[in-house]
Structures are given as C-alpha cells and as structure tokens.
Amino acid sequence: LFRCDALLIGAILALQIRSPRGLAPIQRWTLAVFPVCLAIGLAASIVDKRLYTLPHTLWPLLWACVLVWLLQGRETQRLARFFNLSVLRKLGKFSYAMYVFQSPLIPIVGVVCSVPILSSLTGNEIVGNLVYMSLMFGLTYGAALLSWHLLEKHCLKLKDWFPTHQPAAERSMHSVPQPAVRSLTELA
C-alpha cells in the first residue's frame, strides 16, 4: 500500500476497458468493493486514524467503482444524470487549473484568512470551516476562470497549427515504403 494507488487503479481500469471483455468482469465486484471501501474509509476518517495509508487505497477504489458504474450504465440512470449536470461539467472544464491554483492560494490567503480566524469570527468551528471552504472554492474557481479566459483558450486555438494526426487517406499514401532508387521506366 502506497500513495500511488490511485494511479495504479486508474491504469488497471484503462487496461481493462481496452480488453475484449471491457469492464464487465470488474462490474460485478464493484457491488461488494464499494460498501467495504465506504465503510472502512468513513470509519478511518471519523476516528482520524491513518491505518497504514489504507485510506489512500480505499478512496480511489471507491471512486473507481463509481467510474465503472458510470461507464457501464446508461445515460438515463440517476448516477449518470447527476455526473452529467452542467455545473459539474463546467467544473470539469476548469478542474486542472483549480488543482494548480489551490496550492499557492492556501498560503497567500492564510495570511489574511484561515480556519482559526474564521472560527473565532463566527464563534463555531464547523461554520468557520464551511466559510473557509466556500471562500477558497470561490477564489480557486475565479483564478481558474481567469486563467481560462486570459491564457488557456487562446493557447488551445494554436493547436490547429500543430496537427497530431493525419487523415486516413494521407496515412495510407505515406505508409507504402517508397523505393530509394527510381526504376529506369520512371526516369524515361
């Protein structure tokens, strides 16, 4: 058990989905794995025990189960409809930028505003935490939005200048090896 479990689990899912049987063999196990991961993961979080980094394995496993259900299910199922909400799709568009900006924002904002400061202002630790999370979410989302409009969408326009693949017709023309020396009939 180590901290790269999420990458390993994602890689296993990626390999499995490309296999001839797809995710079908894994799907039946998700019904058993999900509740176990949820129960132990929540218990470890509530008790605040690390359990030899077991939660670092359980949470990615739990979300891998959800991912399998989403990939194997129909778009009309409740879970699929939830994850296709426009709000979540919009967050997905900016999620990497949010990931990048949240780390530098924490110490910058921490000088002026932190959980202890907000808890003392509100008189309640839970409310202080909720206000802090809301504030940090808003700032992180705002930074990601600015990044998208000022930089990312303009950089994405440049991708047309750097094609990564050729159309099939061009590929088939270039895939036949050309002789290094021309024949006498071609020269005539």
Side-chain angles (χ1 to χ4, degrees), residues 54-130:
L54 188 62
H56 292 301
T57 303
L58 295 175
W59 292 120
L61 262 177
L62 180 133
W63 288 106
C65 292
V66 173
L67 190 58
V68 169
W69 293 336
L70 288 170
L71 292 171
Q72 290 292 101
R74 294 187 193 93
E75 289 183 21
T76 56
Q77 290 177 327
R78 249 185 260 163
L79 190 62
R81 283 196 320 248
F82 172 75
F83 280 103
N84 274 318
L85 289 172
S86 61
V87 172
L88 292 180
R89 294 176 67 81
K90 185 66 84 172
L91 279 175
K93 184 177 185 177
F94 306 121
S95 64
Y96 185 74
M98 291 174 73
Y99 164 74
V100 169
F101 288 121
Q102 61 98 19
S103 288
L105 278 174
I106 291 171
I108 292 170
V109 173
V111 174
V112 180
C113 179
S114 65
V115 174
I117 292 170
L118 291 171
S119 295
S120 66
L121 286 174
T122 60
N124 187 327
E125 191 173 336
I126 294 172
V127 174
N129 272 296
L130 290 173

Side-chain angles (χ1 to χ4, degrees), residues 110-167:
V111 174
V112 180
C113 179
S114 65
V115 174
I117 292 170
L118 291 171
S119 295
S120 66
L121 286 174
T122 60
N124 187 327
E125 191 173 336
I126 294 172
V127 174
N129 272 296
L130 290 173
V131 170
Y132 180 77
M133 286 188 297
S134 301
L135 176 73
M136 287 306 294
F137 175 81
L139 288 172
T140 305
Y141 188 77
L145 204 60
L146 276 173
S147 171
W148 171 257
H149 287 291
L150 296 176
L151 178 69
E152 294 174 48
K153 76 177 180 181
H154 303 293
C155 289
L156 284 173
K157 291 177 187 173
L158 298 174
K159 73 179 181 180
D160 295 334
W161 291 89
F162 304 97
T164 57
H165 67 282
Q166 296 175 336

